[in-house]
Amino acid sequence: MDEKHWKIGELARATGLTVRTLHHYDEIGLLVPSERTQAGYRLYGEHDVRRLYEIRALRDLGIPLGEIPDALDGDVRETIARHLERVEQDLERQRRLRSLLQRILDAEAEASGHDYMEAIEAMTMFEKYYTPEQLEQIEERRQEFSDEEHDQFHRDWEELIAAARAEKEKGTDPSDPRMQQIATRWRELIDMFTGGDEKILGGLKTMYHEEGPEKASRGALDAELMQYVGAAIALQMKN
């Protein structure tokens, strides 16, 4: 039985990818079609489709495009297993969101603003950077604090960010004692959130790096202020 082949447009439509993406994969040698027609049109076979799945699965797992060729040398079953684990984590996040929405719906009184904020947070980028287990840890830490303490935590951040911005606008050097005091408090508040867990801290740093400070902080920080505070913290890390 002859192996089935797909033209580039057919493959693009079947997978939801763009023809431009497939062209790019071909140009960089990531996915070169196994055959071509006499007229020179690309033809993709079953093996090419399997390789395309691996490429997309690895991208979904966060592997940079430049590192995928080396990753493709492994067993496809390992890629499928990792992809399945990621899907299960996503399903767990959706389960958590479902439970939260059901709780809001079942509430006898009108849901609080805090409930709605939790729902928004559950739908946004925060979920992308932590495993379900880490999210559980974060939730457990949140429950250790009363509503008043939780509100105070947010007020402390607002005041600290305002203080850092004021020092930046005055041209205060990051090594100045006032900025060093701000940097110390900054690290203390981060520790309150992470509980000293290095992996949760790593997820936080990745989120700010990939999303950018303004989006990650929902507008509270901009890149320049983050860089300014980062310079003050870096001085402490050297000591």
Side-chain angles (χ1 to χ4, degrees):
M1 184 175 178
D2 292 337
E3 181 184 358
K4 181 172 175 55
H5 288 82
W6 293 265
K7 294 179 181 178
I8 192 167
E10 295 172 333
L11 184 60
R13 285 191 296 274
T15 59
L17 297 172
T18 64
V19 170
R20 183 176 180 179
T21 295
L22 295 173
H23 279 164
H24 179 60
Y25 287 171
D26 186 5
E27 290 166 2
I28 64 177
L30 192 57
L31 180 68
V32 179
S34 55
E35 294 186 29
R36 286 181 180 265
T37 66
Q38 290 185 341
Y41 295 112
R42 297 170 174 84
L43 286 177
Y44 296 85
E46 298 279 355
H47 175 76
D48 300 324
V49 174
R50 187 179 74 177
R51 184 178 176 88
L52 179 58
Y53 160 74
E54 288 191 81
I55 292 168
R56 299 306 299 178
L58 290 167
R59 289 291 289 134
D60 190 55
L61 290 167
I63 307 298
L65 202 60
E67 297 177 14
I68 285 181
D70 291 336
L72 287 170
D73 292 336
D75 183 358
V76 64
R77 292 183 62 82
E78 181 181 342
T79 300
I80 294 172
R82 291 174 63 191
H83 193 194
L84 177 60
E85 182 181 2
R86 173 63 175 269
V87 169
E88 288 175 343
Q89 290 176 352
D90 290 341
L91 288 172
E92 174 63 18
R93 294 186 185 109
Q94 291 301 315
R95 184 196 65 76
R96 286 166 52 83
L97 177 57
R98 180 185 181 280
S99 297
L100 175 58
L101 294 175
Q102 191 65 57
R103 190 179 79 206
I104 293 174
L105 195 61
D106 292 343
E108 293 183 6
E110 184 178 351
S112 68
H114 180 68
D115 288 329
Y116 286 113
M117 283 191 288
E118 277 193 270
I120 293 168
E121 184 178 65
M123 292 185 292
T124 53
M125 62 190 169
F126 195 71
E127 300 282 337
K128 290 163 46 180
Y129 298 96
Y130 300 101
T131 66
E133 292 76 16
Q134 289 171 337
L135 290 170
E136 289 289 348
Q137 284 181 255
I138 293 170
E139 176 63 16
E140 287 172 5
R141 281 195 58 75
R142 190 187 70 79
Q143 292 180 1
E144 291 175 5
F145 299 95
S146 66
D147 289 342
E148 291 77 12
E149 289 172 325
H150 188 268
D151 291 342
Q152 184 61 52
F153 177 76
H154 286 286
R155 285 195 295 270
D156 287 347
W157 265 120
E158 290 172 359
E159 293 171 3
L160 191 64
I161 290 170
R165 183 172 283 111
E167 296 299 339
K168 177 179 175 296
E169 290 174 354
K170 288 190 291 186
T172 305
D173 191 276
S175 63
D176 187 277
R178 294 194 303 276
M179 264 312 295
Q180 285 301 297
Q181 185 176 4
I182 289 172
T184 297
R185 182 57 178 158
W186 198 283
R187 292 170 65 188
E188 289 173 353
L189 290 180
I190 289 175
D191 283 343
M192 286 179 65
F193 170 73
T194 65
D197 188 295
E198 289 297 323
K199 290 184 179 179
I200 293 178
L201 177 61
L204 185 66
K205 288 180 177 179
T206 300
M207 181 173 71
Y208 270 76
H209 174 72
E210 293 188 0
E211 303 289 346
E214 187 165 355
K215 185 176 179 181
S217 67
R218 301 187 179 97
L221 288 167
D222 57 62
E224 289 187 3
L225 182 59
M226 192 70 186
Q227 185 177 12
Y228 176 65
V229 175
I233 292 174
L235 290 171
Q236 293 186 349
M237 302 300 285
K238 290 180 180 179
N239 297 330

